[in-house]
Amino acid sequence: MTDDIRTNTVSAGQLYVVATPIGNRSDLSPRAQQVLEAVDRICAEDTRTSLQLLSHFGIRRPMVALHEHNESQLSERLIEQLREGQSLALISDAGTPLISDPGFVLVRAARSAGIPVIAVPGPCAAVAALSISGLPSDRFAFEGFLPAKSGPRRQRLQALATDPRTLIFYESSHRIADTAADLAELLPDRQICIARELTKLHEESAVLAAGDLPAWLAENAYRQRGEFVLLLSGCPEHDGEDEAEAERVLRVLLTELSPSSAARVAAELTGLRKKTLYALALRLHEADAAD
Ligand code: SAM
């Protein structure tokens, strides 16, 4: 790439936050390619991973490894280089930097130092999954990865159970089955969109009740492989009143009965579904035990 094009594409002393593909290399935008070819230096999470992508596009620029373990230390030096007039691009292994990826410390430091931070937007698994889910997209919240251990993960899901927004989670193949089991038990009636391997050969997505998610995953051996986004539909507003009443009844019953018996009695008293009440009883029971 010639210096002419470099000068045309990027300005000195600016930080470019560049999104890269989440699987399909063709999703690297022409502008991202131009910027990456033109900057003085590219900060990458794992330089070996990014080299494969960059080499594919014939991009050869000096690289710096910037990951969660060295970001704080390194940011100061990078800010100095930006102040001296160097241009830097920040990329991560896949998708948009900072979205469950490194970069926050550097971007914040650049902002504090008055350095222009320029977006070169592109793929992001969360937004890609939301855009195809058919779940409400007017209000949503990105929750990143749920806790790895079951206890904290269930607590987190319980805390989020009444959120009316569509919630977006990232999940890995190691934990997808466990997370699916927790979602099925705690929020069986909610709609889930599961999107795996987006933009890749084995891309697959489905919308189903959370209670059916474990069976969907078990349908074939490949379903638990790859990378996943889970979207959980928000708590329906009208359920708020029913849920408040169910919670009031269950709280009383749970002082004397097990979650299963409390759900059975509450179903007779309120006319609500026993399965739903059992999930709520479990949540209340576990929340009490955690206090
Ligand atoms: N920064 C990235 C982004 O913008 O989406 C996310 C990085 S995070 C470390 C990696 C997680 O993103 C994966 O575990 C998975 O949950 C999700 N992910 C990334 N690529 C994906 C894909 N092609 N299909 C589905 N989920 C994906």
Side-chain angles (χ1 to χ4, degrees):
M1 197 36 56
T2 68
D3 282 343
D4 270 351
I5 291 180
R6 282 171 69 184
T7 318
N8 286 344
T9 316
V10 304
S11 301
Q14 299 199 338
L15 173 63
Y16 295 84
V17 180
V18 182
T20 57
I22 55 170
N24 191 326
R25 283 178 172 167
S26 304
D27 289 336
L28 188 72
S29 75
R31 180 165 170 247
Q33 291 175 49
Q34 286 162 13
V35 167
L36 292 171
E37 276 165 353
V39 286
D40 291 309
R41 215 175 278 265
I42 299 173
C43 304
E45 186 182 359
D46 178 335
T47 49
R48 275 176 307 179
T49 303
S50 291
L51 256 179
Q52 290 177 19
L53 175 77
L54 297 173
S55 308
H56 176 81
F57 288 95
I59 299 168
R60 282 179 200 81
R61 304 304 306 149
M63 295 184 78
V64 190
L66 179 126
H67 41 74
E68 57 173 327
H69 303 296
N70 72 354
E71 187 174 358
S72 300
Q73 275 169 276
L74 197 60
S75 287
E76 227 170 277
R77 182 147 59 86
L78 294 172
I79 295 298
E80 267 321 297
Q81 292 171 352
L82 284 159
R83 277 203 172 109
E84 286 161 9
Q86 288 205 21
S87 53
L88 295 185
L90 170 68
I91 59 176
S92 61
D93 287 354
T96 301
L98 279 83
I99 307 303
S100 292
D101 267 340
F104 173 68
V105 177
L106 177 62
V107 167
R108 209 169 151 97
R111 288 262 165 210
S112 314
I115 287 159
V117 185
I118 311 295
V120 184
C124 173
V127 174
L130 179 66
S131 73
I132 60 163
S133 69
L135 299 187
S137 54
D138 51 344
R139 293 175 68 209
F140 60 90
F142 175 63
E143 283 288 324
F145 288 93
L146 283 162
K149 291 196 176 145
S150 180
R153 181 169 57 234
R154 291 169 72 94
Q155 275 177 29
R156 187 86 201 107
L157 288 173
Q158 280 153 9
L160 293 167
T162 52
D163 196 316
R165 299 169 297 178
T166 297
L167 299 178
I168 307 176
F169 303 97
Y170 281 165
E171 196 48 278
S172 72
S173 54
H174 310 298
R175 284 194 282 273
I176 189 69
D178 291 345
T179 297
D182 286 343
L183 281 163
E185 195 176 37
L186 296 174
L187 299 163
D189 299 329
R190 291 286 180 81
Q191 279 215 309
I192 289 266
C193 172
I194 180 166
R196 60 180 285 270
E197 297 292 85
L198 290 167
T199 78
K200 302 184 202 175
L201 187 61
H202 299 294
E203 171 169 347
E204 191 177 18
S205 59
V207 178
L208 64 178
D212 297 331
L213 188 56
W216 187 88
L217 281 169
E219 242 166 62
N220 75 54
Y222 296 103
R223 286 240 166 111
Q224 291 181 32
R225 296 193 194 157
E227 300 190 282
F228 297 85
V229 183
L230 290 171
L231 300 100
L232 175 68
S233 62
C235 178
E237 306 280 359
H238 67 269
D239 279 9
E241 281 169 32
D242 283 351
E243 186 154 324
E245 173 62 3
E247 183 173 331
R248 194 185 63 73
V249 171
L250 281 171
R251 277 195 190 284
V252 176
L253 294 171
L254 282 168
T255 58
E256 301 291 336
L257 300 173
S258 68
S260 144
S261 304
R264 187 168 34 77
V265 178
E268 281 173 28
L269 290 172
T270 62
L272 298 170
R273 288 180 63 204
K274 190 179 154 209
K275 201 173 159 192
T276 311
L277 289 163
Y278 178 60
L280 179 57
L282 272 181
R283 290 198 332 247
L284 295 171
H285 183 67
E286 288 188 15
D288 269 359
D291 284 346

